[in-house]
Amino acid sequence: MGEIILKPKVAFKVPIIAETITPDNFAGKSIKEIEDLEAWEGNRKTTLGELFEITGAPGETPKDTKIIIEGDVKKVKKIGCKMTDGEIIIKGSVGMYLGEEMKGGKITVEGDADSWIGTRMKGGQIEVKGNAGDYIGAPYRGDTKGMKKGTIIIHGNAGNEVGCWMRGGTIIVKGNTGLFPGIHMKKGTILIEGDCAGRCGAMMKGGKIAVLGYVPSILPSFTFEEIKKSFKIKGEKIKGPFYVFTGDLNENGAGRLHVSVEKNKHLQFYEKFLE
Amino acid sequence: MEILIKNGYVYDPINKIDGEKMDIAVKDGKIVESVGSNAKVIDASNMLVMPGGVDIHSHIAGSKVNSGRILRPEDHYKDVEPRTTVTRSGVGYTVPSSYTIGYRYAKLGYTTVIEAASPPLKTRHTHEELNDIPLIDKTCYLVLDNNWIVLDYLSQGEIDKCAAFIAWILKALKGYAIKIVNPGGVELWGWGRNVESLDDQVPPFNITPREIVRGLCKINKILNLPHTIHLHTNNLGKPGNYRTTIETMDAVKDLADGKPNIHVTHVQFCGYGGDTWITLRSGAPEIAKYVNNHPHVTIDLGQVVFGEATTMTGDGPFQFILQSLTGNKWKNADVEAEGSAGIVPYKFKRKNFVNAIQWTIGLELALLIKDPWRVFLTTDHPNAGPFTEYPRVIAWLMSTKAREKTMERINKRAKKRSVLPSVDREYTFYEIAIITRAATAKALNLTNKGHLGVGADADIAIYNINPMEVNPSKEYKKVRKALRRAAYTIKGGEIIVKDGEIVKSFVGETFWVKPTMPEELEKEILREVAEKFKEYYTVSLENYIIGEHELARSRSITVNTSL
Amino acid sequence: MKTISNVVCPFCGSLCDDIEVDVENGQVTKVRRGCAISIAKFTKYGEERIYKPRIDGKEASLEEAIDKAVEILANAKYPILYGWSCTSTEAINVGIEIAELIGGVMDNTASVCHGPTIIGEQDAGISTCTLGQVKHRADLIIYWGCNPAHAHPRHMARYSAASKGKFVKGRNERKVIVVDVRKTRTAKAADIFIQVEPNSDYELLTALRWAVKNGELEQPKIAGIPAEKIEEIADMLISCRFGALFFGLGLTMSAGKARNIEAAVSLVRELNNYTKFVMMPMRGHFNVTGANEVMAWITGYPFAVDFSRGYPFYNPGDTTVVDILTRGDCDAALIVASDPVSGFPTEAVRNLAKIPVITIDPHETPTTMISKVVIPTALVGIEAEGSAYRMDAVPLRLKKLVDPPPNILSDEEVLKMILKKLKERVG
């Protein structure tokens, strides 16, 4: 497997757009050719070579190409855009739109990742060891086509609107999330292992959400169905018990929302509907 | 600047020139007999030369169009136009930004476009946008049929006063023609309701849609306006509405004097047979038959091109139905004392039964109506698709093969229900020139547009296709390709497009009518209108009026009325 | 002395156009029909004015100031152009061309007030109207998270609760509901006041929609309101003839922001299955609506437009100026007719103070204090004419009533000079 290492030459001040950083663009190219790939520094067109010190050698195919980014790329947007295979490892924090329209391969971020991770993602895997911003897997404004396939795992906390307009795939947040996880989701699965700030599944039409931690309340347009012992995600069983709700009924939705019984004593009043 | 366009095959139907190889001379923005030896020569050998296109019905500017832009960021972000040294940046796709609209029309060889529906209260907005549409000449129709002052006068039988009011408002707001949109129905939408027939009562005005249409048709004649009334029917978008369409046409038959006196617009949307969406069928044969037998009617198609569209009309209740049917996002915008617009994004799909029927209706109308001078090419941009897709429509009209190709891919049930497979008519280039420029210019009475006779505006489109060699019936793809990007577009005597790219940009004219009126009558009307204004509007009359200096390039057209 | 009538008031989004003004010796001396804010605006416009351009705090000629501004903007890699809600549509139009030319980010103050309204609309649409429609027809009016009695003083009398219309003749023929976190002056004048728990508007809107759909509310209390009360209000909404929901920053800035608007849009849409219902944002600055309109027709997007790659790109959260400043992404700023230093979060202001700022404004503000270049201009609607859009997007023409101070040009003129020099430089 070929390995290419990118190191920022300076600390970036203005936003950088570097959608060319993908195994697909690097595979089979010389260092010189990779250095010549286009990027944007604010309003100036530039090249990867101007921005990064580039060493190593890529593989012949995307699958055989691993890109390692050393240093802080918090201002760099669109890394891994449309990648189909191979691997990107970011040994720091990364900017917005990581893995936009990604189709395959794997991206790992050792630090934090900014908003719109995996926007309109169609496959592959993104793993963030730190925290994530808002709108994981969401499309751009006004669009209804969110993440379709693939897996996103956040080890830290995530912001608002995790899995907005999601159409498939899996998102796992090991920490806490902000408001509106699974808003407008149609299909797919979201697992939140920590607490959620609220409004889970707002306007969802389908799909599954599970929260293992605390939720302040359930939206009034969800109806309580039952208590279930466990929740299944990617073949793995996660122990409950869970309060299970269906919604969003305002949207004639049939999404399933699972909320830990143990961590949500304030929802006990729903149990009266069990009789 | 002088230009000599040499050796092109010229299609100029108004001057009865049908593919003749000839030269066209241009000087100071006009077509002239001849030019000097220093003139810039354009070698148009083996090319197709036509007058610049004239689009009689398109939504390009104003509050409704801009609401569509704001509503749909997802429409734009994959279709972008970066700034160049000649052009401003912008976005497409179904609702492009203003500069992009001008450039894209110019690239198609179109040089005059009419905004089809401007609510008077927001017409200042329309003009501000028209000012920012480069290259093409333009104007707007004013929506007047649900206007309370009009309804007051009509219900009291005060046709002359109503005519005077309309003369005033066209002049004050810099409009071109009377637009009618679901007469009566839109007023009722103020209460969330609609009309269902031409004879429904519209409270509290005690008037019917039929009376509104007839009244405005009479007024149009009194004012001697350059265009006829321009009408969007009642019951638009409902199965079975072809009957309403024919009934509406018939309602003004007795008012005609040999010339067209009504234009019914985007007839595809009001050409539905059947009773429900399940029994839906085309009503085009019936409408075509009526039009063929009645010279007082002109229509345009509102042809569906499959793909993304943004429906936007001044027909609030219709848009409400559409949002219920689709569940798509919906904008409604009522305008006090005047009307209501609505917007719903829509995607026309080949495999969808209703959409496929809709596609057949437009083409059937174009092919079954015999006189091309009375049926015009539109997609009711962006309602049935963006104007940039006109070349696709032209290919369907010129080639049975092109139609068959598409028919193979549409909903089977829809295909079975259509007469389209049995229609073998194919448009010629001459007829295409009629339905895209000559006839529309004539219907708008723009005497300097739509033709290449001496004295006409030098608005010219040159396409890189040899009409003597290419057989459009078989090689429709070549036609489509050539018409998408003009080899040259000349506007007002300036070369603005070369090889499909914009090479020069400037602001075109905005024209508007100035109907004459006796001073005394104008004073009297203004006195009455001022009173009504205080009651009906939340702005003052003075601030409603649009100054000529608010138009970037104003061109008024004086109209001699019989007031 | 001369009297000018039908003057459009350039203060709030109500854009009242019936003001009468006396002008004597080049000064406005009397204002009739205006609200207290309007009168203050028309008569005290001469206070806190700047009369001379400045560079680094020192007086400079207009030409020097423009040259300096051009130099800063032409060299910037990611400049922001912000403000625009208190100037003419024509001036904003020129600003857009500057932004495009230099590859900057053009954003208006909607970004920090009704931006969420626009984003909500982009997901769900909106059923709206012009103000006259409410005046003529609305027999039920809701003010949600807004306080027109304070912020839009003539709104209720001219356009809404207490206006006299064709079909609905006045306040006693209308039912007025106020939803807010505290009992405001507007709430005191309402028939029904609903005190929603802070940051629970979304829950309440969702519950109302579900109740309108005749769903059962399983929770006894939502957003602090008993379920029965919510059902009662839902019935009231269904049974009006024409309902209008006005909303303000109390809704757009409470938890959920754009999603609150989407929920309100969805409720109103649902209500249109039963009756006629519309909604409208209470826009603050007099031409913030115009800023959205003109940006949309030229760029396709109503605010937060990033031209850095030569074409318009829009994604609030990324391309909104307040977020850009908070992240410290920009390296120069052009501020027109706005005072972000007073209104923006601390971190954003701190980053703004680190970069060269050019401010074009008639008045001295905390933002002019931190600016490298300051260019004073005329007040549009008093000293210059131009177009502006009312909160319901009705365009009106602002008048020039008096001459500006000597050597002071309008925003539009100054921006055109900057644009011209930038074109010479950048091409």
Side-chain angles (χ1 to χ4, degrees):
Chain A
M1 179 172 245
E3 228 176 69
I4 276 273
I5 298 164
L6 273 69
K7 254 187 215 165
K9 284 185 171 171
V10 291
F12 301 130
K13 161 77 184 150
V14 301
I16 308 288
I17 293 179
E19 53 202 303
T20 46
I21 302 182
T22 64
D24 302 74
N25 282 322
F26 285 12
K29 286 199 173 79
S30 70
I31 292 289
K32 176 78 183 63
E33 285 169 318
I34 292 171
E35 283 174 344
D36 287 345
L37 288 172
E38 187 187 290
W40 286 82
E41 184 184 18
N43 52 24
R44 312 287 154 97
K45 206 182 253 187
T46 180
T47 60
L48 291 184
E50 289 287 320
L51 302 170
F52 297 94
E53 199 177 284
I54 304 172
T55 53
E60 276 311 303
T61 63
K63 194 178 173 60
D64 292 331
T65 301
K66 184 196 255 182
I67 301 170
I68 298 168
I69 303 178
E70 289 185 349
D72 183 52
V73 283
K74 244 192 273 185
K75 300 243 177 187
V76 185
K77 299 174 182 176
K78 298 202 181 212
I79 290 177
C81 181
K82 295 184 183 166
M83 72 185 267
T84 61
D85 214 336
E87 199 177 346
I88 300 177
I89 297 169
I90 298 159
K91 299 196 159 174
S93 293
V94 68
M96 291 177 186
Y97 316 111
L98 175 73
E100 172 171 352
E101 287 191 61
M102 177 175 181
K103 294 184 181 75
K106 191 181 176 197
I107 303 178
T108 308
V109 182
E110 294 187 354
D112 300 335
D114 210 333
S115 301
W116 287 284
I117 296 169
T119 173
R120 293 181 297 145
M121 183 173 182
K122 296 188 178 99
Q125 187 182 324
I126 301 176
E127 190 166 353
V128 178
K129 301 277 172 68
N131 298 323
D134 302 326
Y135 314 113
I136 294 172
Y140 282 103
R141 305 288 180 183
D143 201 349
T144 57
K145 295 182 179 71
M147 171 176 184
K148 203 174 175 184
K149 254 184 175 173
T151 306
I152 300 176
I153 301 166
I154 313 293
H155 291 266
N157 300 327
N160 294 326
E161 306 202 8
V162 171
C164 169
W165 290 108
M166 190 169 175
R167 293 176 294 164
T170 307
I171 300 177
I172 298 168
V173 180
K174 297 197 178 277
N176 307 323
T177 75
L179 294 166
F180 300 109
I183 184 165
H184 285 296
M185 87 187 272
K186 288 180 178 154
K187 239 177 157 179
T189 310
I190 299 175
L191 170 66
I192 300 162
E193 297 188 6
D195 301 338
C196 165
R199 302 174 189 166
C200 304
M203 301 200 175
M204 78 192 292
K205 289 213 165 130
K208 286 190 289 185
I209 303 174
V211 186
L212 308 190
Y214 172 81
V215 295
S217 67
I218 302 298
L219 283 172
S221 50
F222 277 69
T223 186
F224 176 63
E225 298 282 359
E226 58 183 326
I227 293 177
K228 265 183 94 174
K229 283 201 186 114
S230 62
F231 172 77
K232 236 184 188 173
I233 178 165
K234 289 188 137 187
E236 197 193 328
K237 229 184 204 177
I238 292 174
K239 268 189 78 177
F242 296 103
Y243 291 121
V244 182
F245 300 86
T246 298
D248 183 329
L249 301 177
N250 271 341
E251 298 285 327
N252 303 320
R256 302 275 281 179
L257 173 60
H258 303 67
V259 177
S260 159
V261 169
E262 192 188 324
K263 294 281 173 64
N264 293 287
K265 297 262 159 43
H266 61 294
L267 299 181
Q268 222 165 28
F269 71 92
Y270 278 109
E271 290 178 20
K272 74 174 179 225
F273 295 104
L274 282 174
E275 284 96 56
Chain B
M1 186 176 163
E2 294 186 347
I3 301 172
L4 184 64
I5 303 162
K6 280 184 83 82
N7 294 324
Y9 294 110
V10 175
Y11 291 83
D12 178 8
I14 286 178
N15 295 304
K16 302 201 166 49
I17 296 166
D18 183 6
E20 202 176 304
K21 190 173 195 167
M22 60 191 286
D23 298 347
I24 303 282
V26 171
K27 187 182 177 181
D28 298 333
K30 297 281 178 188
I31 311 279
V32 292
E33 286 285 359
S34 62
V35 284
S37 53
N38 288 332
K40 179 183 169 57
V41 174
I42 292 175
D43 180 8
S45 311
N46 304 321
M47 292 194 195
L48 178 71
V49 179
M50 285 185 183
V54 178
D55 196 337
I56 199 162
H57 187 110
S58 181
H59 298 279
I60 55 170
S63 56
K64 168 171 42 55
V65 177
N66 216 32
S67 294
R69 287 190 191 101
I70 294 173
L71 183 68
R72 301 203 64 191
E74 80 282 7
D75 182 53
H76 318 316
Y77 72 89
K78 282 195 170 167
D79 182 11
V80 296
E81 296 275 3
R83 177 181 169 269
T84 71
T85 50
V86 183
T87 58
R88 296 284 302 274
S89 70
V91 295
Y93 172 74
T94 64
V95 203
S97 54
S98 63
Y99 283 87
T100 303
I101 287 177
Y103 303 142
R104 289 190 178 178
Y105 261 116
K107 286 180 187 182
L108 286 183
Y110 271 72
T111 48
T112 304
V113 183
I114 324 293
E115 161 53 47
S118 184
L121 182 60
K122 290 184 169 177
T123 294
R124 173 171 282 113
H125 180 167
T126 309
H127 283 297
E128 289 192 355
E129 279 194 35
L130 289 176
N131 287 344
D132 281 337
I133 298 179
L135 297 172
I136 56 175
D137 288 342
K138 58 256 163 173
T139 183
C140 61
Y141 306 141
L142 296 185
V143 181
L144 293 170
D145 58 317
N146 291 293
N147 184 298
W148 284 2
I149 297 176
V150 168
L151 292 179
D152 277 346
Y153 280 134
L154 287 182
S155 64
Q156 289 149 15
E158 304 256 33
I159 288 280
D160 283 342
K161 278 189 177 174
C162 192
F165 168 67
I166 288 178
W168 172 81
I169 202 171
L170 285 167
K171 189 170 66 166
L173 302 187
K174 317 290 180 270
Y176 194 76
I178 300 170
K179 176 72 186 289
I180 301 173
V181 182
N182 185 3
V186 178
E187 163 55 29
L188 283 183
W189 176 240
W191 300 118
R193 289 161 42 213
N194 198 354
V195 294
E196 283 174 358
S197 88
L198 274 171
D199 299 307
D200 283 8
Q201 279 292 327
V202 182
F205 295 96
N206 192 25
I207 196 166
T208 65
R210 183 187 303 278
E211 287 161 351
I212 299 171
V213 174
R214 284 181 62 82
L216 291 172
C217 189
K218 285 179 198 161
I219 287 165
N220 208 81
K221 195 167 168 188
I222 293 170
L223 297 181
N224 188 28
L225 292 175
H227 187 32
T228 59
I229 51 171
H230 193 103
L231 182 140
H232 159 139
T233 62
N234 300 112
N235 287 329
L236 188 116
K238 291 184 197 160
N241 63 9
Y242 84 92
R243 289 184 214 96
T244 309
T245 303
I246 292 174
E247 213 183 318
T248 308
M249 292 169 172
D250 211 47
V252 297
K253 183 176 67 179
D254 62 309
L255 304 175
D257 54 4
K259 287 187 308 215
N261 70 346
I262 184 169
H263 177 80
V264 183
T265 190
H266 42 67
V267 173
Q268 174 274 125
F269 285 114
C270 55
Y272 304 152
D275 303 309
T276 64
W277 292 113
I278 294 158
T279 60
L280 184 76
R281 60 169 184 84
S282 165
E286 288 90 342
I287 292 173
K289 189 173 163 208
Y290 186 90
V291 174
N292 285 336
N293 291 323
H294 295 87
H296 71 287
V297 181
T298 63
I299 70 152
D300 67 86
L301 300 180
Q303 175 62 40
V304 165
V305 288
F306 295 114
E308 286 289 341
T310 302
T311 67
M312 51 170 71
T313 71
D315 191 345
F318 158 67
Q319 300 288 159
F320 176 72
I321 295 170
L322 195 60
Q323 67 88 30
S324 312
L325 288 173
T326 61
N328 292 346
K329 56 187 170 185
W330 166 56
K331 170 132 187 179
N332 174 75
D334 293 0
V335 179
E336 64 206 56
E338 294 184 351
S340 174
I343 305 163
V344 179
Y346 195 84
K347 191 170 183 176
F348 289 94
K349 296 174 184 154
R350 284 191 309 264
K351 296 292 180 200
N352 175 295
F353 169 69
V354 172
N355 295 166
I357 293 271
Q358 289 175 308
W359 175 79
T360 64
I361 292 172
L363 295 177
E364 287 171 16
L365 287 166
L367 295 163
L368 297 177
I369 293 175
K370 290 174 190 150
D371 180 4
W373 290 94
R374 292 195 291 121
V375 52
F376 316 136
L377 171 60
T378 67
T379 57
D380 186 17
H381 163 84
N383 279 288
F387 66 82
T388 40
E389 294 302 319
Y390 286 175
R392 257 169 95 189
V393 182
I394 290 171
W396 283 323
L397 294 178
M398 295 188 88
S399 163
T400 46
K401 194 175 151 197
R403 298 200 287 271
E404 278 161 13
K405 274 268 182 207
T406 304
M407 266 188 284
E408 278 166 24
R409 302 172 68 195
I410 66 169
N411 179 287
K412 291 216 162 54
R413 203 152 54 89
K415 185 184 166 187
K416 243 195 234 159
R417 275 196 201 178
S418 172
V419 299
L420 202 53
S422 67
V423 180
D424 57 6
R425 179 175 169 196
E426 291 179 331
Y427 269 62
T428 62
F429 281 115
Y430 188 75
E431 287 173 316
I432 291 297
I434 294 172
I435 65 166
T436 56
R437 41 267 279 168
T440 44
K442 195 174 152 223
L444 292 162
N445 202 16
L446 291 168
T447 50
N448 293 331
K449 306 282 186 197
H451 73 104
L452 299 172
V454 169
D457 290 344
D459 297 351
I460 306 162
I462 305 173
Y463 301 104
N464 194 0
I465 186 167
N466 183 341
M468 300 302 143
E469 277 181 5
V470 170
N471 176 355
S473 175
K474 293 203 170 68
E475 298 166 282
Y476 62 91
K477 282 183 184 159
K478 283 188 182 168
V479 175
R480 209 159 59 190
K481 190 169 168 232
L483 266 47
R484 275 191 194 281
R485 296 170 81 236
Y488 289 90
T489 305
I490 295 166
K491 170 70 185 45
E494 307 265 1
I495 298 172
I496 56 171
V497 172
K498 188 167 182 296
D499 300 328
E501 296 301 326
I502 304 292
V503 292
K504 185 167 191 170
S505 188
F506 49 83
V507 185
E509 286 180 335
T510 301
F511 40 85
W512 50 283
V513 295
K514 216 180 194 174
T516 58
M517 185 168 12
E519 225 171 279
E520 274 312 303
L521 178 61
E522 183 160 5
K523 271 190 194 152
E524 189 195 336
I525 285 302
L526 270 181
R527 244 193 331 268
E528 290 189 15
V529 168
E531 277 310 302
K532 287 178 186 289
F533 230 84
K534 277 185 205 150
E535 202 189 320
Y536 291 173
Y537 285 91
T538 54
V539 302
S540 68
L541 181 61
E542 180 189 337
N543 291 324
Y544 187 75
I545 297 167
I546 298 166
E548 194 169 356
H549 70 287
E550 295 182 50
L551 275 55
R553 266 182 79 196
S554 164
R555 164 70 62 96
S556 62
I557 297 170
T558 300
V559 174
N560 291 311
T561 69
S562 51
L563 278 172
Chain C
M1 192 207 67
K2 70 175 170 181
T3 299
I4 306 171
S5 49
N6 299 318
V7 172
V8 180
C9 173
F11 177 67
C12 79
S14 295
L15 234 54
C16 300
D17 78 330
D18 62 342
I19 313 290
E20 211 169 80
V21 175
D22 290 347
V23 172
E24 216 169 340
N25 301 325
Q27 294 284 321
V28 174
T29 51
K30 198 163 170 67
V31 181
R32 280 177 289 273
R33 293 205 197 98
C35 64
I37 306 169
S38 170
I39 291 171
K41 172 94 175 172
F42 275 118
T43 52
K44 295 186 183 162
Y45 65 91
E47 292 172 14
E48 299 285 326
R49 290 295 289 268
I50 313 170
Y51 295 99
K52 287 271 164 56
R54 295 197 302 256
I55 302 173
D56 290 324
K58 294 190 199 72
E59 271 188 19
S61 71
L62 180 61
E63 198 178 11
E64 286 164 344
I66 282 177
D67 283 345
K68 189 73 198 169
V70 166
E71 186 194 318
I72 292 168
L73 294 173
N75 287 327
K77 283 184 179 168
Y78 200 63
I80 52 170
L81 298 88
Y82 179 78
W84 310 108
S85 51
C86 291
T87 188
S88 68
T89 312
E90 292 87 341
I92 306 162
N93 201 327
V94 181
I96 297 165
E97 191 169 357
I98 293 176
E100 178 187 299
L101 189 67
I102 62 173
V105 178
M106 178 83 182
D107 195 9
N108 53 62
T109 60
S111 181
V112 291
C113 56
H114 275 286
T117 301
I118 295 168
I119 298 168
E121 185 183 330
Q122 290 172 338
D123 268 329
I126 190 168
S127 168
T128 188
C129 65
T130 66
L131 288 161
Q133 190 78 330
V134 174
K135 166 184 144 114
H136 290 307
R137 300 184 200 258
D139 57 347
L140 182 139
I141 294 177
I142 308 171
Y143 299 101
W144 194 310
C146 61
N147 186 7
H150 174 77
H152 299 84
R154 293 182 71 207
H155 189 280
M156 290 193 282
R158 236 173 103 74
Y159 307 123
S160 56
S163 65
K164 181 173 177 290
K166 183 180 173 81
F167 302 106
V168 184
K169 302 292 182 194
R171 176 65 180 86
N172 58 349
E173 293 180 23
R174 306 184 204 266
K175 187 149 274 166
V176 175
I177 302 174
V178 169
V179 185
D180 214 318
V181 291
R182 62 183 173 278
K183 195 154 190 178
T184 60
R185 256 172 72 197
T186 308
K188 283 175 194 151
D191 300 311
I192 296 166
F193 171 54
I194 299 169
Q195 190 157 11
V196 60
E197 277 176 2
N199 292 318
S200 302
D201 305 84
Y202 191 88
E203 280 76 11
L204 182 55
L205 287 162
T206 303
L208 275 169
R209 184 175 167 209
W210 184 226
V212 165
K213 285 174 79 107
N214 219 5
E216 187 194 346
L217 295 169
E218 294 176 4
Q219 300 167 46
K221 247 184 172 188
I222 293 146
I225 317 294
E228 306 78 59
K229 180 82 184 165
I230 293 172
E231 281 159 4
E232 191 186 309
I233 301 287
D235 287 343
M236 207 180 279
L237 303 187
I238 291 169
S239 46
C240 75
R241 263 188 102 191
F242 187 110
L245 164 65
F246 292 100
F247 61 97
L249 301 193
L251 191 60
T252 65
M253 288 296 150
S254 96
K257 292 189 168 185
R259 296 305 179 193
N260 296 337
I261 307 309
E262 191 186 16
V265 166
S266 304
L267 168 64
V268 167
R269 187 168 171 164
E270 196 70 54
L271 284 164
N272 274 290
N273 292 327
Y274 303 87
T275 179
K276 183 71 188 267
F277 227 99
V278 295
M279 59 191 281
M280 195 189 300
M282 299 287 274
R283 305 303 297 264
H285 296 303
F286 73 86
N287 199 23
V288 63
T289 307
N292 296 146
E293 294 288 345
V294 63
M295 281 186 67
W297 82 62
I298 292 180
T299 74
Y301 308 111
F303 68 110
V305 176
D306 180 341
F307 285 102
S308 64
R309 279 178 290 168
Y311 57 83
F313 171 70
Y314 163 86
N315 195 18
D318 177 0
T319 59
T320 21
V321 152
V322 66
D323 297 293
I324 290 169
L325 272 174
T326 305
R327 294 192 300 265
D329 279 355
C330 50
D331 58 351
L334 172 67
I335 310 292
V336 179
S338 179
D339 179 19
V341 169
S342 303
F344 273 14
T346 323
E347 188 59 27
V349 174
R350 197 175 299 141
N351 285 328
L352 184 66
K354 286 183 198 158
I355 59 174
V357 177
I358 304 147
T359 298
I360 298 177
D361 205 296
H363 293 114
E364 203 71 74
T365 67
T367 302
T368 60
M369 301 299 192
I370 65 148
S371 299
K372 189 167 184 68
V373 180
V374 177
I375 303 175
T377 46
L379 277 156
V380 67
I382 297 178
E383 299 164 343
E385 83 166 279
S387 122
Y389 287 68
R390 204 165 68 179
M391 62 168 69
D392 54 356
V394 169
L396 289 161
R397 194 95 193 137
L398 305 172
K399 288 180 177 168
K400 178 178 172 177
L401 310 174
V402 296
D403 286 328
N407 304 316
I408 299 287
L409 304 175
S410 68
D411 294 330
E412 186 188 353
E413 288 165 317
V414 168
L415 289 162
K416 276 185 173 158
M417 290 168 79
I418 293 176
L419 175 64
K420 187 163 172 265
K421 290 220 163 161
L422 273 169
K423 274 187 177 165
E424 285 164 16
R425 199 174 158 136
V426 190

